[in-house]
Amino acid sequence: MKVDLHIHTSKLSPDSKLDPEEVIQQAIAMGLDGVCFTEHDRAWELAGITELSAKYSFPVFRGVEVMVKEGGEILVFGLNLNFTTVIDVKTLRELAIEANAFMIAAHPFRGYPCHALTDYEKASELVLKRAVFDKVDGLEGFNGRNMTGNNVFACQLARNLSLPSSGGSDAHARNELGKCVTIFENDIHNEAEFMKELKAHRFTGSAYNRPI
């Protein structure tokens, strides 16, 4: 089951040009099996997600991309809160544990010079100075807005840390949708099943790259 696990919409992410219904319509046309709206520091109400999913008979999920004080952002699923200030990762982890949520470090090498380095060890040494990787459940190995080197090194880091890797487009515009996806082993239809598969690590990231 192919799900674009990292999408921003104009409803809750001011920097996005994507209408939520346009996202779903295009995802269906592209042959995706589901989408997940991961807005910047804002959470969709379950009723809105359920309504859209029912309208199109298409799985729609939700998460939040949370900026943390240690630098970078964390995709959090199952902790549907609005964050009005930048939070530290230790507090975010405590909230996630209480809610039985799942945390994935988004685009971990973005902003680092890994695209110009051939030595993974040098790049990862820089990235691991951020004290977040012992507090997440997975890494985003494939991000559609990354340079190739960022994704190559992210997947390598996930393997070295024995963490599962996800994939998502990080789309803010129509031409970005579906560039990377998460492939789930089982079909998922609702939020409970979605969380169950994440927690069981029954997923992997992939570069989808299907033309629109």
Side-chain angles (χ1 to χ4, degrees):
M1 180 173 183
K2 298 186 298 290
V3 179
D4 189 335
L5 203 64
H6 188 169
I7 298 172
H8 298 276
T9 76
S10 57
K11 179 178 175 66
L12 292 177
S13 292
D15 59 347
S16 176
K17 300 176 182 178
L18 287 168
D19 176 80
E21 295 198 42
E22 178 187 19
V23 169
I24 296 169
Q25 292 165 358
Q26 183 170 322
I28 293 170
M30 293 177 69
L32 294 179
D33 302 309
V35 293
C36 185
F37 297 152
T38 51
E39 313 288 7
H40 295 296
D41 298 310
R42 295 291 182 271
W44 276 73
E45 295 289 342
L46 182 58
I49 292 292
T50 302
E51 180 180 351
L52 285 172
S53 184
K55 179 176 179 178
Y56 289 94
S57 298
F58 187 75
V60 181
F61 309 109
R62 59 178 177 160
V64 183
E65 185 174 27
V66 183
M67 183 178 292
V68 294
K69 289 181 179 179
E70 291 79 4
E73 295 167 305
I74 309 293
L75 301 173
V76 186
F77 306 96
L79 180 66
N80 298 295
L81 302 176
N82 293 324
F83 295 84
T84 56
T85 59
V86 180
I87 192 172
D88 64 88
V89 73
K90 180 177 181 293
T91 301
L92 181 62
R93 184 63 180 173
E94 290 170 352
L95 291 170
I97 290 173
E98 184 177 353
N100 198 30
F102 196 85
M103 295 171 54
I104 296 177
H107 41 71
F109 282 86
R110 183 176 294 175
Y112 293 86
C114 60
H115 61 280
L117 294 175
T118 57
D119 188 343
Y120 163 77
E121 297 299 330
K122 292 179 182 178
S124 61
E125 183 179 350
L126 293 173
V127 168
L128 288 170
K129 288 181 179 179
R130 291 168 47 212
V132 302
F133 298 100
D134 62 335
K135 296 179 178 65
V136 297
D137 304 297
L139 299 186
E140 187 177 51
F142 294 88
N143 181 289
R145 301 182 87 197
N146 273 353
M147 299 182 70
T148 300
N150 294 86
N151 288 340
V152 170
F153 282 7
C155 290
Q156 180 64 47
L157 183 62
R159 288 191 293 269
N160 288 355
L161 296 177
S162 298
L163 292 173
S165 62
S166 67
S169 66
D170 197 1
H172 292 67
R174 185 180 183 275
N175 65 344
E176 296 172 336
L177 278 166
K179 287 187 175 181
C180 294
V181 298
T182 298
I183 300 176
F184 287 89
E185 296 178 18
N186 299 314
D187 289 344
I188 47 179
H189 308 91
N190 54 50
E191 187 160 298
E193 293 177 356
F194 177 57
M195 292 306 303
K196 180 180 179 181
E197 296 306 300
L198 285 174
K199 301 288 281 188
H201 295 185
R202 288 192 286 262
F203 65 89
T204 188
S206 174
Y208 189 49
N209 295 323
R210 177 172 178 169
I212 297 171

